[in-house]
Amino acid sequence: MSQIPVVIIGAGPAGLMLSHLLHLQGVESVVIESQSRDEVEATVRAGILEQGTVALMRSTGVGDRLDREAEIDEGIQISIDGDLERIDLHKYTGHSVAVYPQHEVLIDLIEQRLTDGGEILFSTTVTHIEGHHTEAPVVHLQNSDGTENRVATSYVVGADGSRSLARQLLLADGAQRLKHEYPFAWFGVMVEAPQTHPELIYATHPDGFALISTRTPELQRYYVQCDPEDSVDMWSDDRIWSALHTRVDSDMVSVSEGKITDKAVLRFRSAVTSSMQSGRLFIAGDAAHTVPPTGAKGLNLAIADVALLAPGLARALKKGDDGLLNNYTSLALPRVWKAQHFSYWMSAMLHSAPTGDPADDLFQTHRRLAELRTVTSSDAGRQLLASQYVGLDLPTYEV
Ligand code: DHB
């Protein structure tokens, strides 16, 4: 049985960044990932990095490619029935966001971990976590060829995504999971086309929401609001283009068309698990909380969790001081709830949520558009949206 101070389950943003931050503190860890490296590096996810995430990537030596390749956006566009309103992120916050998709962050972190001699076990499944209430937990693994082995450790971190195995143990220990489901979803497409607009467009229209985002000058990412029960085959290319043009086009903008290379339905869910720890077991990122996609807070929250967990673990392992670690959940949750609120608020303002009562639906549409106009037409409203969009500073703790 091998022995390593921290076992991290999951090679997503939380797991890989945690392993990287621990390494910078001189703490060894192993990352166990059920998917192959190719699968991890190819998974399509959101693309907005908050200012704090960008600052952390830069200050810890994994920001070079981001600085070369990411599009830096100093503003976003809100389109209300074709009227564009710009939210000047930089004017209101002094910050901007980076359009740099999650899988690119993962490619950079994997490369850095391997360059630094870090261990990532791909295509390896955690079957069982034993003894998380003792000082010496054991993690049981199954490799892709069916062989099994065990790792003895001091701490286990479940960064194993929304279907987390680690979370099941916390729930069995009494943690609560609070959830919310939304009556809408997104239909996401990847399109080989030139950029529609230099900045992201969050569009709302009586028919529903649409989002214009980008990946590269030649590859665009668009979303249209759909029903959560819709399947991919219900959205022909013609239906997608018609929805996008109706919801986004104006005198200023025309959605650029091209070959659609990927189609997927994204469900909207909120969930928060508390406590995020029990004994020597901790959860971070999507394992602990899920936000709906509007505003792209998921990756950023995962990074914020581990910006707290890394110094907590390093203090415990290097100095025998577990004070910060014991307070992980209470220090992490206020930010989680703020992001939860922001994602909910943006989603509710921008999407139609038909109730079946046409008069009430019309009332809600007018009220919702008035709320959006209240936000976009005042300095106070724009400031509130901008500051939450670029994100709070990340926690910084000395070890
Ligand atoms: C993207 C996703 C989002 O949820 C968002 O708010 C902005 C951009 C994206 O995938 O590019």
Side-chain angles (χ1 to χ4, degrees):
M1 180 159 56
S2 52
Q3 162 83 42
I4 195 142
V6 183
V7 172
I8 300 168
I9 311 169
L16 289 168
M17 182 56 94
L18 177 62
S19 176
H20 176 55
L21 295 177
L22 288 173
H23 166 75
L24 296 177
Q25 294 294 341
V27 173
E28 247 192 287
S29 64
V30 60
V31 178
I32 298 154
E33 168 57 50
S34 60
Q35 291 188 305
S36 69
R37 180 173 178 181
D38 284 349
E39 285 169 318
V40 170
E41 294 189 342
T43 306
V44 174
R45 289 281 160 78
I48 305 297
L49 304 187
E50 290 182 354
Q51 54 90 13
T53 302
V54 172
L56 184 70
M57 288 182 68
R58 286 185 178 141
S59 68
T60 63
V62 286
D64 289 356
R65 198 164 66 93
L66 177 145
D67 278 332
R68 283 197 309 274
E69 294 178 13
E71 180 181 297
I72 301 298
D73 278 6
E74 298 199 340
I76 55 169
Q77 304 284 335
I78 308 275
S79 165
I80 308 175
D81 223 347
D83 294 335
L84 279 189
E85 293 278 356
R86 181 167 193 262
I87 307 288
D88 190 330
L89 302 174
H90 196 262
K91 172 178 158 192
Y92 289 107
T93 67
H95 293 297
S96 45
V97 294
V99 185
Y100 193 64
Q102 172 163 319
H103 70 273
E104 303 290 358
V105 176
L106 300 183
I107 289 170
D108 296 344
L109 284 168
I110 290 169
E111 159 117 20
Q112 189 65 44
R113 285 309 295 123
L114 298 180
T115 304
D116 290 337
E119 197 176 7
I120 308 172
L121 305 178
F122 288 103
S123 307
T124 303
T125 313
V126 171
T127 54
H128 181 48
I129 302 162
E130 186 188 335
H132 67 282
H133 286 294
T134 71
E135 289 188 358
V138 176
V139 178
H140 295 244
L141 312 178
Q142 186 169 50
N143 308 310
S144 54
D145 62 5
T147 57
E148 300 192 348
N149 55 316
R150 294 174 298 161
V151 189
T153 188
S154 299
Y155 294 99
V156 182
V157 178
D160 47 348
S162 51
R163 293 197 201 93
S164 170
L165 170 79
R167 188 178 66 233
Q168 300 310 324
L169 296 182
L170 299 192
L171 293 174
D173 285 349
Q176 248 203 328
R177 189 157 167 86
L178 303 178
K179 292 189 231 176
H180 180 77
E181 294 267 346
Y182 298 75
F184 37 76
W186 281 0
F187 197 87
V189 290
M190 206 65 90
V191 183
E192 289 172 0
Q195 208 174 50
T196 289
H197 192 274
E199 293 180 337
L200 264 66
I201 303 175
Y202 289 85
T204 192
H205 177 275
D207 284 5
F209 173 78
L211 170 58
I212 303 300
S213 183
T214 186
R215 288 293 177 267
T216 68
E218 301 82 31
L219 190 62
Q220 310 312 320
R221 180 72 167 148
Y222 303 148
Y223 303 92
V224 286
Q225 178 179 348
C226 69
D227 190 276
E229 302 305 326
D230 282 2
S231 58
V232 165
D233 53 350
M234 291 164 71
W235 283 81
S236 65
D237 291 8
D238 283 349
R239 185 176 175 200
I240 293 165
W241 294 123
S242 160
L244 281 165
H245 288 303
T246 304
R247 298 176 194 189
V248 181
D249 281 6
S250 67
D251 296 348
M252 317 281 292
V253 182
S254 170
V255 176
S256 69
E257 290 193 24
K259 185 174 164 219
I260 297 177
T261 58
D262 189 73
K263 295 183 180 180
V265 175
L266 281 76
R267 299 293 290 255
F268 270 54
R269 289 198 180 94
S270 286
V272 178
T273 307
S274 177
S275 175
M276 293 162 64
Q277 64 195 96
S278 179
R280 295 278 181 125
L281 176 64
F282 300 80
I283 54 174
D286 274 2
H289 36 69
T290 301
V291 289
T294 324
K297 292 293 176 204
L299 173 149
N300 297 289
L301 264 190
I303 298 293
D305 285 346
V306 301
L308 197 57
L309 197 48
L313 288 166
R315 275 192 202 175
L317 284 159
K318 286 163 66 173
K319 304 213 164 125
D321 166 10
D322 59 8
L324 183 55
L325 203 48
N326 290 340
N327 284 317
Y328 167 60
T329 300
S330 57
L331 291 170
L333 277 181
R335 182 191 191 101
V336 170
W337 278 112
K338 281 182 190 161
Q340 201 63 262
H341 165 65
F342 179 68
S343 309
Y344 180 107
W345 178 56
M346 285 277 279
S347 300
M349 271 196 306
L350 290 162
H351 294 75
S352 53
T355 59
D357 173 347
D360 192 35
D361 287 351
L362 206 52
F363 174 89
Q364 287 302 343
T365 299
H366 285 290
R367 188 210 58 76
R368 190 167 62 71
L369 298 187
E371 182 182 5
L372 254 182
R373 290 201 172 96
T374 304
V375 171
T376 57
S377 64
S378 69
D379 274 326
R382 290 191 288 252
Q383 162 97 53
L384 180 68
L385 200 156
S387 61
Q388 296 183 68
Y389 195 85
V390 303
L392 303 166
D393 288 345
L394 288 178
T396 47
Y397 289 95
E398 298 298 316
V399 175

